[in-house]
Structures are given as structure tokens and as C-alpha cells.
Amino acid sequence: LPTGTLTVDAAADEWAKAIADDPWQQQSPVVLTGVIDRHDRRWTLTDAEGVAAPLHGVEGDLLKLLAVTAGHPATVFGEWGTAGFRPAAVVRERVVAL
């Protein structure tokens, strides 16, 4: 498991650098820690600094992510791209694939 994660702002900065290096890149792997929430059909991950990243993906996977995290901060593995952050797995007591 990773020993540290990025903030949402740092992940956005890393994405900007990745796009500058390779404009054809579609996504980049990233690990974020934050709280998952859903407001008016918009999914977000909000980090400890209060910055929210938009989430996207299969609705069932996002619902599973919300259920596993239960409103608590969690470490989430995924891909950062033009649409925001797409979660792939979450760590609570163990790694849970989405």
C-alpha cells in the first residue's frame, strides 16, 4: 500500500504536467485520500484541504465506493483524466476493487 497520497490540487498539477509531456495521454494513475459524496447526481472526493475532485465511472461502482467508505476518509486508487477522477479500488481494512 502507498505510504502517501496526493491532494486534489497536487493531482491536478500532476495531470497538467502529464498532458504537457504527452498531449495524447488519456489518463494517469493517482492515489487520493478523501471523503466520497454525492450531491444532485454529482459525485466528488473531497480531500483534507476541502478541495473536491469530480468523480466519474459506472454508477454501481460509485455506489459501492460510497457504501464501503460510509462517509469516512479513505484512500482511493484510480485514474485522473479530462473528466476528473475515476476510482478503481478503495482501501479501508483491505483493498476493495470497484
Side-chain angles (χ1 to χ4, degrees), residues 52-85:
L55 299 182
H56 69 97
V58 176
E59 186 78 10
D61 292 346
L62 296 173
L63 287 168
K64 181 177 180 180
L65 176 62
L66 182 63
V68 168
T69 60
H72 298 284
T75 300
V76 183
F77 299 81
E79 298 172 333
W80 191 281
T82 55
F85 182 61

Side-chain angles (χ1 to χ4, degrees), residues 7-54:
T7 64
V8 170
D9 285 339
D13 289 344
E14 291 292 322
W15 174 243
K17 289 177 194 170
I19 287 294
D21 289 342
D22 179 5
W24 300 107
Q25 186 167 341
Q26 298 294 311
Q27 67 271 336
S28 181
V30 69
V31 180
L32 299 174
T33 297
V35 176
I36 306 303
D37 205 354
R38 181 180 180 195
H39 295 286
D40 298 325
R41 303 181 118 193
R42 272 194 62 222
W43 290 91
T44 58
L45 178 147
T46 304
D47 67 15
E49 295 178 355
V51 180

